[in-house]
Amino acid sequence: MSSPVRILAVANQKGGVGKTTSVVNLSASIALLGRRVLVVDLDPQGNASTGLGIDIRALERSVYDVLLHDTPIEDAVQASAVKGLFVVPANLDLAGAEIELVPMMGRETRLRKALERVATDYDYVFIDCPPSLGLLTVNALTAAQEVLVPVQCEYYALEGLAQLLRNIELVNTNLNPHLHVSTILCQMYDSRTRLSADVVAEVREHFGDKVLNAVIPRTVKIAESPSHGMPVVVLDPNGAGAQAYAAAAQEVVNGRA
Ligand code: ADP
Ligand code: MG
């Protein structure tokens, strides 16, 4: 018997904190462990899709059609270059969705409904959220059981998190009683600075054992990997960035309750 699917929304309304990079590399790492993994790209930028080698200029169907036109999600799924890793891609069509969803029936639950169709096909679903707390992120939080929050090892790392946590609580109360923050991932760690160490210490003080032991370093290979359309864990598997993501992925897998 297979265990039920774990659905993780990767969210932080700040841009550039490493959400997409973490979705791409955690999902790839877990697929490399032999699990079946689906990435749902909910950012109109489509960076998770392109980071996994999907050409988003040539999409016949995207997550937009799933959310707005009731296209069956399995018709929008594409295989990535990594065995066992699949993607529901996004492109700029999705930019209008925040507004187009407003008058729709069940506007907060459309992704959850869509994912119910494929829940038994995957062990893990990672949802890459846009940098906002609008209806797309609400759809992600309504569909997920867990939230994984990447935190950038920078000044003001925790600023804005209170707002995210409030929204998670609201969704938890009103739409999705299963939702909880399960995982915090410290991203873009710079071992040369005192600041990074201070931020990690502060994050651990705040969030305790939700914070993964693995910390993702800032590396050139991670920064370059999107231009190759490949996760760094595939492109440079022995590098520091890949090793850190592999360790983080193992912790996520071990954390299955
Ligand atoms: P978000 O999805 O939160 O906006 P991204 O994952 O797109 O953030 O990361 C923002 C930018 O930083 C991207 O250009 C990405 O390639 C780069 N980046 C992310 N993590 C790292 C890292 N650990 N080391 C170097 N560059 C990184
Ligand atoms: Mg992103």
Side-chain angles (χ1 to χ4, degrees), residues 14-21 47 187-188 216-219 222-223 226:
K14 274 196 194 178
V17 299
K19 289 182 290 298
T20 299
T21 304
N47 291 341
Q187 238 284 30
M188 299 186 221
I216 311 301
R218 185 186 283 282
T219 74
I222 292 178

Side-chain angles (χ1 to χ4, degrees), residues 157-171:
L158 296 178
E159 198 184 66
L161 277 193
Q163 204 187 343
L164 173 64
L165 297 178
R166 258 196 314 278
N167 276 44
I168 290 169
E169 238 177 79
L170 278 174
V171 171

Side-chain angles (χ1 to χ4, degrees), residues 73-88:
I73 192 165
E74 58 272 28
D75 291 352
V77 170
Q78 294 199 27
S80 77
V82 182
K83 186 168 175 278
L85 177 56
F86 299 83
V87 186
V88 180

Side-chain angles (χ1 to χ4, degrees), residues 31-52:
L32 290 171
L33 292 172
R35 309 301 205 281
R36 286 177 62 87
V37 187
L38 180 67
V39 166
V40 177
D41 192 349
L42 269 195
D43 189 330
Q45 304 283 329
N47 291 341
S49 309
T50 48
L52 289 168

